[in-house]
Amino acid sequence: MTIPQHPALCIDLHCHSTASDGALTPTELLQRAADKNVTHLALTDHDTVNGLAEAQAAAAEHNIVLIPGIELSCLWRSRTIHIVGLDFDPDNREFRAALAQQHRNRWARAAMIDERLKKLAVPDLLERATANAGGDVPGRPHFARVMVESGVVRNTAQAFKRYLGAGKPGDVKAYWPELPEVVQWINQAGGIAVLAHPRKYRLTATKLRELTADFRRAGGRALEVSTSGQSSGDLGFLKELCVREKLLASQGSDFHFPGAPWCELGNIMKMPDGLEPVWHHFRQVPGNHAPA
Ligand code: MN
Ligand code: MN
Ligand code: MN
């Protein structure tokens, strides 16, 4: 399928809202995307699709094409890796069940952190950490903030140093699924799995090639090649990796909050020539007429 890359297209396939750790609600996010002339946006909140319905309603108002998205955490050789899922069916039953199981695992982890910190005698620690997380599953930073509020530590750095950091009582490992499992969730929901921000894992070039090869063997189809504020050296390396593994190329800002000009909606390095853009394989193809 050959589709000319239209100069008026502005495609951002990685960003976050308040449904996970972003600062803007889905409605505010779409308003900002419109202000930045984004034409096609994937909202990819961490391990949840809860923001998609609101985002879809706002996207329709701004005439932006919203592509269903998510960013899933998983393990590869005991490291946490992020996989973006794009253009899947958010209502797919197995996909929903997998997300619900993830959610239960994260609550179990929060309860265990709470249990391990009982001796600090912070009243209602879990409840307050949950409130701090906006009513969703609290992670260690939320526990840390409540500990500061309660005066058991001076600041969050001290909370991590004494109680939550590596090897401390509150350092409960997250139960992330293995990489092939997460890729399979996305595939069976009809989506495309993208290896997110490959340069952020601080892997050597050799390890990153191994990760990418394992990802492709597991059924992964795309690599996030272009991001915000990226060096041209990284871009060249990722292009080479993408070609070598015969993967599609994706792009996204990973926008979380306003005020960081190096990471802004739609502000993405131009994708190198010679790569096959992932959006050519979407059901709603940018550059084609959007289905009525
Ligand atoms: Mn995040
Ligand atoms: Mn990420
Ligand atoms: Mn992200």
Side-chain angles (χ1 to χ4, degrees):
M1 184 163 27
T2 325
I3 295 143
Q5 220 167 320
H6 197 281
L9 291 181
C10 179
I11 300 170
D12 191 337
L13 303 175
H14 188 159
C15 65
H16 298 270
S17 76
T18 48
S20 63
D21 59 349
L24 303 182
T25 65
T27 302
E28 291 164 344
L29 187 80
L30 266 294
Q31 176 65 59
R32 192 174 183 90
D35 294 344
K36 302 290 177 189
N37 300 312
V38 173
T39 56
H40 296 77
L41 186 78
L43 172 59
T44 55
D45 276 310
H46 295 283
D47 306 295
T48 182
V49 292
N50 287 347
L52 293 187
E54 183 185 325
Q56 181 53 62
E61 282 195 15
H62 294 293
N63 241 324
I64 290 174
V65 177
L66 187 84
I67 293 103
I70 194 165
E71 182 172 18
L72 295 163
S73 294
C74 64
L75 294 177
W76 177 75
R77 299 187 188 171
S78 308
R79 293 168 190 272
T80 305
I81 300 294
H82 288 173
I83 305 295
V84 161
L86 296 175
D87 197 38
F88 53 87
D89 169 15
D91 297 322
N92 177 273
R93 188 196 298 252
E94 289 81 13
F95 189 76
R96 288 281 183 161
L99 291 190
Q101 183 57 49
Q102 270 300 103
H103 207 66
R104 286 192 290 275
N105 290 344
R106 289 166 63 215
W107 274 116
R109 173 179 182 244
M112 190 172 295
I113 294 173
D114 179 60
E115 184 62 36
R116 299 248 192 112
L117 298 177
K118 276 280 184 274
K119 64 166 182 182
L120 292 177
V122 175
D124 305 319
L125 177 59
L126 181 58
E127 289 75 8
R128 289 163 67 194
T130 303
N132 205 287
D136 204 345
V137 191
R140 286 180 296 170
H142 307 109
F143 282 97
R145 278 179 228 145
V146 176
M147 289 158 73
V148 175
E149 272 169 33
S150 308
V152 295
V153 288
R154 278 201 312 274
N155 50 44
T156 56
Q158 195 177 60
F160 271 85
K161 194 165 176 218
R162 293 192 181 165
Y163 301 109
L164 295 163
K168 302 300 171 188
D171 173 31
V172 179
K173 288 279 165 282
Y175 315 90
W176 300 122
E178 292 291 324
L179 182 142
E181 193 178 344
V182 159
V183 170
Q184 199 197 327
W185 295 350
I186 296 166
N187 285 344
Q188 73 185 7
I192 296 177
V194 184
L195 181 58
H197 45 62
R199 295 303 271 172
K200 278 201 187 158
Y201 308 116
R202 297 188 193 157
L203 295 169
T204 62
T206 305
K207 281 260 160 52
L208 187 50
R209 289 192 186 103
E210 289 170 6
L211 165 62
T212 309
D214 283 352
F215 169 73
R216 182 183 47 73
R217 277 191 287 267
R221 291 172 61 199
L223 195 69
E224 201 171 74
V225 173
S226 300
T227 59
S228 271
Q230 191 176 35
S231 79
S232 53
D234 278 354
L235 200 60
F237 176 77
L238 293 176
K239 176 188 173 172
E240 180 230 314
L241 192 58
C242 205
V243 169
R244 171 203 284 253
E245 290 298 333
K246 298 187 173 60
L247 291 167
L248 304 170
S250 189
Q251 63 183 35
S253 63
D254 205 2
F255 174 85
H256 280 72
F257 51 87
W262 60 91
C263 184
E264 182 56 79
L265 285 172
N267 179 17
I268 297 158
M269 295 280 285
K270 189 189 172 304
M271 187 177 285
D273 292 333
L275 298 176
E276 171 77 348
V278 67
W279 54 88
H280 287 186
H281 297 257
F282 290 168
R283 283 166 287 194
Q284 286 188 87
V285 181
N288 276 0
H289 297 288

